[in-house]
Amino acid sequence: MKELFDKKYQPQMVEKDKYEFWKTNGYFTSDVNSPKPPFAIVIPPPNVTGKLHLGHAWDTTLQDLIIRYKKLNGYDTLYLPGMDHAGIATQSKVEERLRTVNNILRHDLGREKFIEQVWAWKEEYADIIRSQWAKLGLALDYQKEQFTLNDNLSLAVRKVFRELYNKGLIYRGYRIIPWDPHQQTALSNIEVIYKEVEGKMYYFKYFLENSTTEYLTIATTRPETMFADQCVIVNPQDERYKKYWNKKVINPANNELIPVICDDYVEMDFGTGAMKCTPAHDPNDYEIGLRHHLAMPICMNLDGTMNELAGKYQGQDRFAARSNLVTDLTAQGLVVKIENHHHQVGFSERSDTIVEPYLSKQWFVKMQPLARAVINLQNSAERVNFFPERFNRTLLTWMENIQDWCISRQLWWGHQIPVWYHKNDETKIYVGVNPPSDLENWTQDEDVLDTWFSSALWPFTTLGWNWDEKLFNRYFPTNVLVTGYDIIFFWVSRMMFQALEFTDQKPFNDVLIHGLIRDEQGRKMSKSLGNGIDPMDVIEQYGADTLRHFLMTNSAPGQDLRYSQEKINASWNFINKLWNASRYVLLNLPTGFVPWSAFANEIDQIIAHHQENNIDSWILSELTKTLHQVKENMDNYEFVLAGKELYDFVWNKYCSWYIELAKVNLNSSQHEVKEITFQTLYYVLKQILIMLHPFIPFVSEEIYQHLNLQPSIMLETYPDVNFTYPVNFLNDVIMIIPALRELRNEHNIGRDHEIKIIINPQADYYEHLKTYQPAINEYLKKLVNAEIIEVTYQLPGGDYISLPLPHYTLEVITAGLIDRTVEQEKLKQELAKLEQELERSRNILNNQNFLAKASPEKVKAEQEKYQQYLNQYEQIKGKL
């Protein structure tokens, strides 16, 4: 055996140098020529905007757990790393640094010099992200690492743009888009975050032409847009306004005459039933403007200040102009009233600035044909499988109601749009993968593509589409995508329609959806609340394995996860328990111990001949049950359930019970009995380490290396055991011993006082207890100084303490042990508790709604529980 490891579990020491050991030995490297079946995951590329947060840690640890599990199960695994240039987000960070540190703006540098600054930022933060991946233990194949602005991926972006343009699926035109005045760029609709805001509703008088008394009352939340009003609209069915049709009213903001027209869009029972129409500053007004051929003047500049249409308010910020305009119109008697108004306001996801609906000439992707392909796929047998399945409906609802996608951004960092305009003829446009041959006559579009345009191509462009056919054919489609429900619209849907369009395949077979990480109070983690948790801080204090175990075992698919210090401590305690148990096993193995090379064959031939080794057959049977349940849950991405099974087996069955019960055999005078137990202790520990490795790779590797087997646990094979020994008495031992220990503790009965027991069994359990009474007694005597003196339905006269257990009651002879009066009172209290449980169970079983909706298994479980309570109740009642 390798030199014994430290007495105390110290994660920093355990995790030191492990990652470099794995990388150096090529344990993360995939092999396109491998005879093993392939299994691939491409990492959702983190933005190079900063360090990874706890959400990244959760997301990537889920992926790593799957990869390590599949590798142990005989797959050639590829976990492909990479990062996203993250256009607007990264540009904002670099601009902020230049402004605060160097006191310069990007325009002071110019585009080329500014891009150099962004690349320097990218390299700085890419190194930080890689170091964080290493801290987390991610089994990434760095030989295949990608970046969304790499040459191969950039070439793919240009090819995709050209193909979509040639198919008529990309077009340029004027549309109302969400505009970020701070970043001065267009956004897509899903980059807008809507927040409930307490604003104002302003009611203005629009006087009829040539009238000083008659006016229409028009309400708006955005008075600053009134300078671009083109008409007032009423519903043609609204009798109140028929007399105003085709008449003109005076716009109070600029005194211009605008017509009153009819359109069904207006809701008669909302507000005053008459509304102003500003086609260049509202998406609904824009559609009305198209229907009625209205002019579409813009009254704001790109930075959110007012332009020349605003008259004396020109140059003012839009919100300052709003305030000043309302003040002036109030003074003129043109304000009817101002009300408080709660409404949803859109904010830029990146800058947190209130977006402005703005008429702008942009590039768009025509989404209906692409969305239809996704809908058809998801309604077929070849669909992408969502876990949980309900998120498939989320995707379909989005695709069924999708709008065209604005893909141009007024930025410098990103994929510059591969479109060139002829300098001498603006009607000439060239769209290509490479610049036109006579480049001196052309000017490239200065805009860049939306970050999500290249991210949408990530699963197939990273795997060699159009540049490495062998890599692409082996690993695409990928096996599973792991991501949060918050980017189903941003990313998952786009990857699906682009993959279908350009590869005729789905991009992944499965999508595992997780939620968001929240603080202990259930709040979303944010800088403003100051409740964020740095995963590196947790690793520094508790180790990566502790963080991983917590993240993997505390939230089901699709559900949010609450960070909990108590549960972090529980995960550390679990690892520490494993550490101490492993150390005990290795410390007690005999000198020169050699594990059986074919354990299953040898144990089966020997164990049946040694009744003393019932504890070994019991733990091997429990190992079999645990393994089958863990594999089923792992294969269904139910890692919380798999983790619970492993926790129970490791903590309770192996550490707390088997190791303790094994001490009896290890003190045996029979060499073969001891040898079997030594081999079983060692064998089960090995299987535990392999099953736990995907959850806690560092500590499982450390302990495994002391077993003197292969150089790394990553070379092992996942257990495939099927020990099916007959049911024996061990489950009785592990029920009886705690009950007797609690009895000693509760009544201060010293260890030197022997406890004598009579067992009062249920009829179907009598033969079992009679058969195993001697074997049970052997453990009771050695571990709790107790003995079963009889198994009977009829109790002899005398005083007893009744300890109800499933299938039987332990009747402890009290003579010389305890006070009879005190025990009678305790039995009465126990009886009262059982009466409550019986009443609760009866109510459930008499509830027709429960019986109709619950599964047969659940109903049966409740019926069995009721019968168990009833048996215990009758026994205690008889005892009293």
Side-chain angles (χ1 to χ4, degrees):
M1 290 291 125
K2 184 178 173 182
E3 184 181 345
L4 204 62
F5 46 86
D6 293 339
K7 290 182 180 180
K8 184 178 180 182
Y9 168 56
Q10 300 180 73
Q12 289 74 23
M13 295 300 295
V14 168
E15 295 172 12
K16 183 181 178 183
D17 300 330
K18 288 282 188 305
Y19 198 74
E20 281 305 313
F21 164 73
W22 289 326
K23 276 180 61 181
T24 303
N25 285 281
Y27 298 144
F28 299 161
T29 306
S30 57
D31 179 6
V32 292
N33 298 311
S34 172
K36 297 178 179 180
F39 188 96
I41 295 177
V42 292
I43 199 169
N47 298 342
V48 287
T49 49
K51 300 175 182 178
L52 302 180
H53 53 65
L54 199 56
H56 288 121
W58 187 18
D59 189 68
T60 53
T61 301
L62 280 165
Q63 296 154 36
D64 186 67
L65 178 142
I66 296 169
I67 285 291
R68 288 179 182 271
Y69 172 71
K70 291 296 181 179
K71 183 176 180 63
L72 290 168
N73 276 278
Y75 287 85
D76 164 39
T77 53
L78 168 59
Y79 186 13
L80 188 144
M83 302 175 205
D84 197 319
H85 68 281
I88 187 172
T90 306
Q91 179 164 316
S92 299
K93 291 283 188 180
V94 178
E95 286 191 76
E96 182 182 4
R97 176 188 276 186
L98 289 172
R99 186 175 61 254
T100 57
V101 176
N102 305 101
N103 197 28
I104 57 175
L105 303 175
R106 64 179 164 111
H107 294 283
D108 298 330
L109 290 174
R111 186 167 191 152
E112 187 175 339
K113 292 292 184 183
F114 176 74
I115 294 300
E116 290 177 6
Q117 292 289 321
V118 188
W119 273 107
W121 171 285
K122 179 264 175 186
E123 292 303 324
E124 175 186 347
Y125 278 91
D127 285 344
I128 292 172
I129 289 170
R130 289 189 198 101
S131 71
Q132 292 180 306
W133 284 342
K135 286 280 190 184
L136 287 163
L138 307 184
L140 296 161
D141 185 350
Y142 290 97
Q143 294 181 10
K144 298 179 179 65
E145 183 176 345
Q146 295 291 343
F147 179 57
T148 47
L149 283 174
N150 281 356
D151 289 344
N152 284 331
L153 272 63
S154 294
L155 177 63
V157 166
R158 297 195 298 274
K159 285 182 177 179
V160 166
F161 186 98
R162 181 191 63 187
E163 292 303 312
L164 290 175
Y165 178 82
N166 290 341
K167 291 177 180 178
L169 295 174
I170 283 182
Y171 65 94
R172 193 181 189 211
Y174 282 98
R175 295 279 299 271
I176 290 283
I177 47 88
W179 182 264
D180 182 336
H182 178 73
Q183 295 289 340
Q184 295 189 43
T185 182
L187 304 172
S188 66
N189 291 329
I190 56 177
E191 291 171 301
V192 178
I193 307 299
Y194 286 91
K195 304 178 185 178
E196 184 76 20
V197 171
E198 184 174 346
K200 303 287 185 183
M201 180 70 80
Y202 304 90
Y203 293 80
F204 297 104
K205 297 176 181 178
Y206 281 58
F207 276 93
L208 262 71
E209 183 181 19
N210 301 322
S211 174
T212 58
T213 58
E214 199 170 6
Y215 58 84
L216 298 183
T217 301
I218 306 297
T220 181
T221 60
R222 300 164 65 217
E224 65 276 12
T225 64
M226 291 165 64
F227 301 105
D229 285 357
Q230 293 304 292
C231 63
V232 167
I233 307 177
V234 296
N235 191 298
Q237 306 301 319
D238 196 331
E239 296 292 334
R240 295 171 296 174
Y241 295 114
K242 277 193 173 181
K243 61 182 179 180
Y244 301 116
W245 290 3
N246 300 320
K247 292 187 177 182
K248 293 186 177 180
V249 293
I250 301 170
N251 181 343
N254 55 16
N255 292 317
E256 290 185 357
L257 288 171
I258 54 176
V260 178
I261 66 175
C262 298
D263 194 282
D264 290 333
Y265 173 77
V266 182
E267 297 179 25
M268 292 185 288
D269 57 355
F270 181 77
T272 64
M275 59 170 271
K276 74 187 195 72
C277 179
T278 319
H281 289 277
D282 183 273
N284 297 311
D285 292 7
Y286 173 74
E287 296 298 330
I288 294 170
L290 290 177
R291 287 198 293 274
H292 296 275
H293 308 290
L294 301 174
M296 298 186 180
I298 298 171
C299 64
M300 283 183 206
N301 299 312
L302 296 177
D303 62 356
T305 59
M306 306 305 295
N307 67 16
E308 65 278 3
L309 288 185
K312 70 175 186 176
Y313 308 101
Q314 182 178 359
Q316 294 182 10
D317 176 78
R318 54 187 166 153
F319 299 122
R322 174 189 297 180
S323 177
N324 294 333
L325 174 63
V326 171
T327 298
D328 291 345
L329 295 184
T330 300
Q332 297 171 38
L334 294 173
V335 178
V336 177
K337 61 180 177 178
I338 301 173
E339 295 177 339
N340 290 330
H341 179 64
H342 287 276
H343 62 136
Q344 295 283 322
V345 174
F347 289 76
S348 169
E349 181 192 32
R350 298 299 182 188
S351 68
D352 203 36
T353 301
I354 293 178
V355 300
E356 191 65 40
Y358 201 83
L359 182 62
S360 180
K361 194 173 189 180
Q362 303 288 343
W363 287 95
F364 296 88
V365 173
K366 191 179 294 182
M367 286 306 307
Q368 288 296 335
L370 298 170
R372 177 51 53 191
V374 175
I375 293 168
N376 291 340
L377 172 70
Q378 293 307 99
N379 287 328
S380 75
E382 302 302 315
R383 62 191 290 177
V384 171
N385 302 305
F386 278 77
F387 297 83
E389 199 276 334
R390 68 179 183 275
F391 287 105
N392 182 52
R393 184 68 257 169
T394 302
L395 171 76
L396 287 175
T397 300
W398 174 256
M399 299 310 283
E400 288 162 358
N401 297 281
I402 201 163
Q403 299 176 342
D404 285 358
W405 173 19
C406 176
I407 56 171
S408 47
R409 297 291 182 272
Q410 289 65 53
L411 304 168
W412 287 353
W413 173 245
H415 293 97
Q416 194 167 348
I417 291 178
V419 174
W420 286 261
Y421 308 100
H422 200 281
K423 293 178 180 178
N424 301 321
D425 185 351
E426 61 182 25
T427 62
K428 286 186 178 180
I429 294 178
Y430 171 82
V431 179
V433 173
N434 300 307
S437 55
D438 55 336
L439 184 58
E440 66 277 4
N441 295 321
W442 298 83
T443 302
Q444 187 173 0
D445 195 309
E446 292 192 351
D447 290 353
V448 300
L449 289 164
D450 176 14
T451 302
W452 297 102
F453 191 92
S454 53
S455 299
L457 315 179
W458 185 251
F460 57 93
T461 55
T462 57
L463 289 175
W465 179 75
N466 270 347
W467 58 270
D468 189 332
E469 185 177 359
K470 193 171 184 180
L471 180 71
F472 179 78
N473 289 339
R474 178 160 176 81
Y475 296 110
F476 187 85
T478 62
N479 293 82
V480 58
L481 170 74
V482 181
T483 191
Y485 58 62
D486 54 328
I487 58 172
I488 291 175
F489 310 136
F490 285 92
W491 194 41
V492 178
S493 63
R494 288 168 173 167
M495 285 189 287
M496 290 178 68
F497 69 68
Q498 293 287 45
L500 289 170
E501 180 69 20
F502 288 97
T503 73
D504 292 322
Q505 298 180 77
K506 57 189 176 183
F508 23 72
N509 296 324
D510 297 341
V511 177
L512 173 60
I513 297 292
H514 60 76
L516 303 176
I517 294 192
R518 301 185 180 275
D519 67 11
E520 297 202 57
Q521 300 175 44
R523 301 174 301 176
K524 187 176 180 180
M525 290 184 175
S526 67
K527 288 182 180 178
S528 59
L529 290 174
N531 61 347
I533 300 292
D534 186 336
M536 298 303 115
D537 290 344
V538 180
I539 290 173
E540 183 65 29
Q541 186 171 0
Y542 298 97
D545 283 332
T546 295
L547 177 61
R548 288 173 63 110
H549 187 266
F550 161 73
L551 292 172
M552 295 302 95
T553 59
N554 281 286
S555 180
Q559 300 299 312
D560 289 346
L561 168 65
R562 287 196 184 192
Y563 184 82
S564 166
Q565 188 58 50
E566 181 183 352
K567 290 181 178 178
I568 286 284
N569 292 337
S571 288
W572 190 93
N573 288 335
F574 172 70
I575 297 171
N576 190 54
K577 181 87 166 180
L578 172 68
W579 181 269
N580 291 332
S582 302
R583 192 172 187 281
Y584 168 82
V585 172
L586 295 175
L587 189 66
N588 283 278
L589 289 176
T591 304
F593 174 82
V594 177
W596 291 338
S597 58
F599 177 87
N601 292 337
E602 299 202 37
I603 199 79
D604 277 341
Q605 293 170 15
I606 298 172
I607 206 165
H609 303 295
H610 291 273
Q611 287 300 310
E612 296 88 348
N613 290 103
N614 273 308
I615 59 163
D616 303 315
S617 62
W618 171 76
I619 196 63
L620 292 170
S621 296
E622 292 297 324
L623 171 66
T624 299
K625 287 189 285 187
T626 300
L627 173 66
H628 291 170
Q629 289 165 338
V630 167
K631 279 182 69 73
E632 181 181 352
N633 286 319
M634 293 288 283
D635 291 338
N636 289 318
Y637 308 116
E638 292 285 359
F639 306 128
V640 174
L641 299 179
K644 286 179 178 177
E645 293 288 348
L646 284 168
Y647 184 97
D648 179 60
F649 179 75
V650 174
W651 186 291
N652 295 322
K653 295 187 173 75
Y654 185 75
C655 296
S656 295
W657 282 111
Y658 177 64
I659 287 178
E660 182 173 9
L661 298 172
K663 292 173 184 176
V664 175
N665 281 17
L666 298 183
N667 289 322
S668 172
S669 59
Q670 297 182 59
H671 172 76
E672 199 165 22
V673 169
K674 293 168 68 173
E675 172 68 7
I676 294 169
T677 299
F678 277 131
Q679 292 288 346
T680 306
L681 275 166
Y682 180 93
Y683 176 83
V684 177
L685 175 60
K686 173 188 169 185
Q687 310 313 318
I688 285 171
L689 294 174
I690 297 170
M691 289 191 291
L692 283 175
H693 177 72
F695 293 86
I696 48 175
F698 293 99
V699 72
S700 58
E701 178 74 275
E702 175 68 18
I703 299 170
Y704 176 86
Q705 289 189 5
H706 286 80
L707 302 184
N708 284 357
L709 296 167
Q710 300 194 66
S712 171
I713 195 170
M714 292 192 72
L715 300 174
E716 275 290 354
T717 300
Y718 207 78
D720 182 19
V721 301
N722 193 28
F723 297 105
T724 54
Y725 300 113
V727 175
N728 61 39
F729 61 89
L730 263 296
N731 286 320
D732 300 292
V733 171
I734 65 175
M735 283 192 298
I736 294 171
I737 287 178
L740 297 181
R741 283 176 174 163
E742 186 178 345
L743 177 78
R744 283 191 182 278
N745 185 57
E746 188 176 352
H747 298 284
N748 296 314
I749 303 171
R751 181 72 170 76
D752 55 335
H753 283 79
E754 185 182 35
I755 296 176
K756 301 264 185 205
I757 309 161
I758 295 175
I759 293 190
N760 184 210
Q762 294 175 14
D764 59 351
Y765 218 70
Y766 178 84
E767 290 300 329
H768 171 85
L769 288 171
K770 290 296 287 184
T771 301
Y772 289 109
Q773 182 180 343
I776 296 171
N777 270 338
E778 182 177 359
Y779 289 95
L780 296 187
K781 288 174 183 177
K782 291 178 179 178
L783 297 175
V784 285
N785 192 15
E787 180 185 9
I788 302 168
I789 62 172
E790 191 175 0
V791 178
T792 179
Y793 297 124
Q794 301 296 326
L795 286 182
D799 294 334
Y800 302 92
I801 296 176
S802 296
L803 302 178
L805 295 174
H807 309 297
Y808 48 83
T809 299
L810 304 181
E811 302 291 356
V812 178
I813 299 172
T814 62
L817 286 180
I818 52 169
D819 187 311
R820 183 170 183 266
T821 306
V822 172
E823 290 313 309
Q824 284 180 328
E825 185 57 37
K826 288 180 180 176
L827 284 174
K828 288 177 182 177
Q829 293 174 6
E830 183 67 26
L831 204 64
K833 290 180 185 177
L834 285 168
E835 285 172 347
Q836 291 177 354
E837 289 299 328
L838 283 166
E839 180 65 21
R840 181 199 62 78
S841 190
R842 270 194 297 268
N843 289 338
I844 291 174
L845 293 172
N846 289 330
N847 185 328
Q848 294 304 314
N849 192 39
F850 167 78
L851 296 175
K853 293 183 177 180
S855 65
E857 294 80 10
K858 196 168 184 180
V859 173
K860 183 180 178 184
E862 189 61 43
Q863 289 170 338
E864 290 175 350
K865 195 184 298 182
Y866 175 81
Q867 189 59 48
Q868 185 177 329
Y869 291 144
L870 188 60
N871 292 338
Q872 292 176 5
Y873 179 84
E874 293 298 335
Q875 287 173 342
I876 293 178
K877 188 175 178 184
K879 175 69 175 171
L880 276 170

